[in-house]
Amino acid sequence: MIRWIWFFAGILAVAAAAQESPFQFNGFVDTYHAVQTKWPHDLTSSRTRLRTEMRVDYDNAYLFASLNAVHNSILEDRTGVQLQEAYFNYQNDVVEIRAGRQIVVWGVADGLRVTDLISPVDYTEFMSSDYDDLRMAVDGFRVKYPGERVNAEIVYVPAPRYFQMPLEEENPWRPDMPENAILDFPDGPDTRFKNGDFGTRLSFFLSNVDFSVSALHTHNQSPVTVAGYDFEKDSIVIYGIHEPMTMIGGDMSMPLGEFVIRAEVAEYFSEALGYANSLDYARKNTFNALGGVDWYAGDNWTLMVQYLHKYIADYSHELAAEKNSSEMTFRISKELLNNTLKLSLYGMFDIDNLAYYGRASGDYALTDQVTLSAGYDHFGGKRGQLAKYKKNREIWAKAKYYF
């Protein structure tokens, strides 16, 4: 990792010296801390980060790199310097080429994944980061035709990555495990051509509607857990299973006055799904559909609601998931004090498990460079992961300085 950092830093420095003023440097420093509202009032998150972003332009091309220097008071293995993105981008009237570590975003959903399956998510500290910060970059290639009305895109990721899960024993977000359990979760598949993610997306931008169709060969990035027993170690072993699958889908966004209608649909072929007994898993075709409405109500009010439904074909009652499952999210925000103060309420509702998560927050722009934030996270319900996080109901504070 350090070699890559010095490599890109050297390229940027040489290019900057060779040109008159192609070099751009910016970033931010932020610090985030959260504490449980219930006894024993432990810290659930405590981290400080320096993000630096560097770009060098040359004619139709540019180099971009961003680094994170992180100090995490709870998760020591997360402390250090991490390469966030580092890629080369070239564009002319007919083609745009991007190669290197990059974040790829597909679809129109807000925080829910239907066709957006290329860049995985870092759930090491669950939902304690903004969704944009949860996204993980992948090492890959993108070739795009950047037309005004039509975009055509091809993506290839030779070394896919999986979700990062809260596995460390000291992590407050680690799911409950048997005392003698060993976790075996891979970081990604072996780097072979057949194991790579590859897909294409065709987007259309019309006067009253934008829509896309996409196809992707990938893996289930969120692990299916299967339990086994290691007789030599006299321990239960919980394996994270990731299997290849194919996604064919589409998305749509359409403005209607003060409203924006959003939708995504996708068929997952041969998706891995765990059994209720956690001893095995099956491969099933699933249909996934999302509908959403954004309302820009005036007077700096914004309201958003989304509904996501999943249907499992050729259903078996041995599966842990229901044949039909669904969840909803909503977001309400209001800007005050000449748009320097933003109050918002975000909610996620797992309908099948009757579980929920809510975040009330306020962001105040002290200056153009300094933002102060604070909020409260609430977990509850009867079943499922959200209900199990009741112990982590928390208050939090964040400060961010841009440079």
Side-chain angles (χ1 to χ4, degrees), residues 343-356:
L343 303 178
S344 61
L345 178 65
Y346 174 80
M348 175 183 292
F349 184 42
D350 181 348
I351 297 174
D352 302 282
N353 290 312
L354 298 177
Y356 55 89

Side-chain angles (χ1 to χ4, degrees), residues 124-198:
T124 305
E125 296 181 85
F126 194 58
M127 302 285 287
S128 62
S129 299
D130 297 332
Y131 189 72
D132 289 342
D133 289 332
L134 293 175
R135 291 182 184 273
M136 298 164 54
V138 293
D139 299 321
F141 306 88
R142 268 201 294 173
V143 180
K144 179 188 290 188
Y145 166 70
E148 183 177 347
R149 293 293 185 181
V150 180
N151 278 358
E153 178 180 0
I154 298 174
V155 178
Y156 175 59
V157 181
R161 304 171 73 186
Y162 299 147
F163 280 20
Q164 290 192 2
M165 308 302 291
L167 305 179
E168 304 88 347
E169 291 186 7
E170 66 274 18
N171 193 334
W173 300 100
R174 186 178 192 254
D176 294 333
M177 299 286 180
E179 291 185 4
N180 61 336
I182 298 174
L183 301 176
D184 186 359
F185 283 53
D187 294 326
D190 296 335
T191 306
R192 300 178 183 176
F193 180 83
K194 67 176 184 178
N195 291 336
D197 287 358
F198 48 89

Side-chain angles (χ1 to χ4, degrees), residues 197-212:
D197 287 358
F198 48 89
T200 184
R201 186 173 187 235
L202 193 61
S203 302
F204 300 87
F205 308 101
L206 306 182
S207 58
N208 57 352
V209 63
D210 299 339
F211 67 94
S212 301

Side-chain angles (χ1 to χ4, degrees), residues 30-325:
D30 64 357
T31 184
Y32 177 93
H33 307 277
V35 63
Q36 295 170 341
T37 57
K38 292 186 175 182
W39 181 263
H41 305 298
D42 289 334
L43 286 170
T44 54
S45 298
S46 182
R47 62 180 184 270
T48 300
R49 170 180 57 167
L50 167 65
R51 164 75 63 82
T52 58
E53 298 179 350
M54 299 162 283
R55 171 170 166 160
V56 176
D57 291 278
Y58 183 81
D59 291 338
N60 294 334
Y62 67 88
L63 288 165
F64 176 83
S66 62
L67 307 175
N68 288 327
V70 180
H71 179 265
N72 194 309
S73 301
I74 299 176
L75 307 176
E76 294 184 359
D77 63 341
R78 303 282 290 181
T79 296
V81 178
Q82 302 145 10
L83 182 64
Q84 174 73 2
E85 291 186 272
Y87 57 81
F88 167 81
N89 195 94
Y90 172 81
Q91 180 174 350
N92 58 28
D93 294 336
V94 245
V95 68
E96 179 181 358
I97 300 172
R98 180 172 294 183
R101 177 159 292 189
Q102 56 191 286
I103 294 175
V104 181
V105 180
W106 281 7
V108 295
D110 180 14
L112 298 177
R113 297 164 62 88
V114 179
T115 62
D116 187 22
L117 302 180
I118 298 177
S119 287
V121 176
D122 183 355
Y123 278 139
T124 305
E125 296 181 85
F126 194 58
M127 302 285 287
S128 62
S129 299
D130 297 332
Y131 189 72
D132 289 342
D133 289 332
L134 293 175
R135 291 182 184 273
M136 298 164 54
V138 293
D139 299 321
F141 306 88
R142 268 201 294 173
V143 180
K144 179 188 290 188
Y145 166 70
E148 183 177 347
R149 293 293 185 181
V150 180
N151 278 358
E153 178 180 0
I154 298 174
V155 178
Y156 175 59
V157 181
R161 304 171 73 186
Y162 299 147
F163 280 20
Q164 290 192 2
M165 308 302 291
L167 305 179
E168 304 88 347
E169 291 186 7
E170 66 274 18
N171 193 334
W173 300 100
R174 186 178 192 254
D176 294 333
M177 299 286 180
E179 291 185 4
N180 61 336
I182 298 174
L183 301 176
D184 186 359
F185 283 53
D187 294 326
D190 296 335
T191 306
R192 300 178 183 176
F193 180 83
K194 67 176 184 178
N195 291 336
D197 287 358
F198 48 89
T200 184
R201 186 173 187 235
L202 193 61
S203 302
F204 300 87
F205 308 101
L206 306 182
S207 58
N208 57 352
V209 63
D210 299 339
F211 67 94
S212 301
V213 292
S214 53
L216 177 69
H217 174 78
T218 183
H219 299 73
N220 58 298
Q221 295 172 338
S222 180
V224 171
T225 55
V226 173
Y229 195 82
D230 189 322
F231 290 95
E232 293 184 1
K233 298 180 180 179
D234 190 26
S235 298
I236 298 171
V237 182
I238 299 176
Y239 300 95
I241 302 298
H242 303 267
E243 292 284 6
M245 71 177 196
T246 299
M247 180 277 292
I248 296 179
D251 60 77
M252 179 273 292
S253 176
M254 180 173 60
L256 291 173
E258 297 178 344
F259 298 88
V260 175
I261 310 298
R262 294 179 287 112
E264 285 193 55
V265 295
E267 181 80 8
Y268 300 166
F269 296 93
S270 200
E271 181 182 4
L273 300 170
Y275 284 131
N277 61 16
S278 299
L279 298 179
D280 204 351
Y281 65 98
R283 309 283 293 279
K284 300 288 184 178
N285 295 343
T286 67
F287 178 74
N288 306 265
L290 175 140
V293 179
D294 300 341
W295 181 24
Y296 300 93
D299 197 25
N300 294 317
W301 280 97
T302 303
L303 295 91
M304 176 275 289
V305 63
Q306 295 182 134
Y307 174 79
L308 175 63
H309 191 90
K310 186 182 191 76
Y311 168 78
I312 303 174
D314 188 24
Y315 183 75
S316 167
H317 291 284
E318 297 175 338
L319 294 173
E322 299 290 336
K323 183 175 183 178
N324 290 278
S325 58

